[in-house]
Amino acid sequence: MPKKINILGVNVDSLTMREAVRQVEQYMDEKAGVLVATANAEMLMRATYDQELKDILNAAALVVPDGAGTVWAAHHLGHAMPERVAGYDLAQELMREAPARGYRIYFFGSAPGVADKAKAKAEKLYPGIQVVGTRNGYFGPEDEPEIIADIQAAKPDLLLCALGVPKQEKWLKKYQQELGVPVSIGVGGTFDVMAGVMKRAPRWMQKAKLEWLFRGMMQPKRAGRLMALPKFVFKVHHFKHEHNR
Ligand code: UDP
């Protein structure tokens, strides 16, 4: 079992991409019925004032370090954190291995049409992949029984859910038992990137750990959210001193 590291009250797993993929596959094989979360700085910041989200994360089977901010925080707090395990990359790795292992995947979330485009992309990138259902992420409470029934009928091993943070985590938690899916993961903008609606940062920016800056620049509505990063740095620094007293 990977080591858990307390970052601002959320226990984040210290593990490599390879280990994360293995662990998720094991949960699928065991039909474990678990939630996996991908924690970036913004999510960890939100958990400091959103107790429901914090509880969901601390009850999750796996919380992977999504983003340079999370890895930095672990290091700053004096812990080993081998690498960043971005939700987008984790989803791609799982899809890459899915055909050979026969895993069934359901794409839930994002704007109408996007999950279908992401499915077409997945079928091109990962021949033989079984994307057993798609459903957009814009719905009212009255639509939920039908969405749940569709997911149940599709019998996926893996449910990728892109409703944004924290909606996806809360929705998955609420219906975890009812859905009975072996593994569910909140994957944010993954289908948008796969469908080409949104671009991922160029490689050099990812390597320079600047993906957060790229995302802020590309989506002006997110620009305000960039402030979460400096706030996160201060919070982690204070957290460290409180814990060392
Ligand atoms: N989204 C959705 N339903 C909603 C709100 C958002 O399906 O009610 C989708 C949105 O279309 C996008 C994804 O959730 O594809 C992630 O959105 P965003 O990038 O804002 O979220 P975050 O980065 O916080 O995960």
Side-chain angles (χ1 to χ4, degrees):
M1 271 312 202
K3 191 168 177 272
K4 297 260 183 196
I5 300 199
N6 180 348
I7 304 176
L8 305 182
V10 173
N11 294 316
V12 180
D13 290 278
S14 173
L15 79 185
T16 63
M17 173 61 80
R18 201 56 237 150
E19 289 165 336
V21 170
R22 281 272 153 71
Q23 190 68 58
V24 172
E25 289 177 343
Q26 194 180 321
Y27 289 138
M28 286 197 275
D29 295 341
E30 291 168 352
K31 308 222 174 299
V34 296
L35 302 190
V36 172
T38 74
N40 61 14
E42 229 181 304
M43 188 191 269
L44 293 172
M45 277 298 280
R46 177 174 268 275
T48 64
Y49 60 85
D50 183 338
Q51 187 66 37
E52 185 189 351
L53 177 64
K54 186 189 265 185
D55 291 343
I56 292 171
L57 296 177
N58 284 333
L62 206 59
V63 179
V64 302
D66 182 344
T70 306
V71 174
W72 168 84
H75 291 165
H76 189 70
L77 295 169
H79 302 285
M81 183 73 90
E83 64 182 343
R84 130 175 215 234
V85 181
Y88 177 85
D89 296 325
L90 176 61
Q92 302 308 309
E93 289 305 311
L94 291 167
M95 285 189 246
R96 192 187 321 283
E97 300 197 351
R101 292 171 160 261
Y103 294 134
R104 300 160 64 84
I105 310 180
Y106 194 105
F107 287 2
F108 172 40
S110 63
V114 172
D116 292 316
K117 274 194 190 156
K119 175 180 191 255
K121 180 74 182 228
E123 286 163 350
K124 209 166 119 196
L125 288 174
Y126 315 114
I129 193 168
Q130 298 181 69
V131 179
V132 292
T134 62
R135 160 73 216 208
N136 74 68
Y138 292 83
F139 56 87
E142 69 283 4
D143 303 315
E144 291 187 337
E146 180 212 314
I147 295 174
I148 292 163
D150 192 57
I151 296 171
Q152 286 169 335
K155 295 201 184 337
D157 298 291
L158 176 64
L159 172 60
L160 298 181
C161 181
L163 305 175
V165 177
K167 194 172 177 185
Q168 59 200 19
E169 286 74 23
K170 292 180 181 178
W171 198 91
L172 290 173
K173 184 70 184 187
K174 187 170 177 192
Y175 297 115
Q176 183 176 12
Q177 300 298 332
E178 215 171 318
L179 289 167
V181 178
V183 180
S184 301
I185 314 182
V187 292
T190 293
F191 303 147
D192 289 333
V193 174
M194 291 180 75
V197 176
M198 204 174 73
K199 279 212 165 62
R200 221 171 154 207
R203 263 272 183 274
W204 70 266
M205 274 187 106
Q206 288 185 39
K207 285 212 176 106
K209 307 195 191 318
L210 288 173
E211 186 154 23
W212 56 275
L213 178 60
F214 179 84
R215 298 210 340 158
M217 281 165 23
M218 294 306 279
Q219 288 174 285
K221 74 169 170 73
R222 294 184 81 115
R225 288 157 66 176
L226 281 180
M227 274 313 287
L229 266 151
K231 283 188 197 152
F232 177 72
V233 169
F234 280 109
K235 263 220 148 86
V236 170
H237 194 67
H238 281 289
F239 183 76
K240 177 178 178 173
H241 289 284
E242 274 165 31
H243 274 238
N244 287 345
R245 256 205 305 251

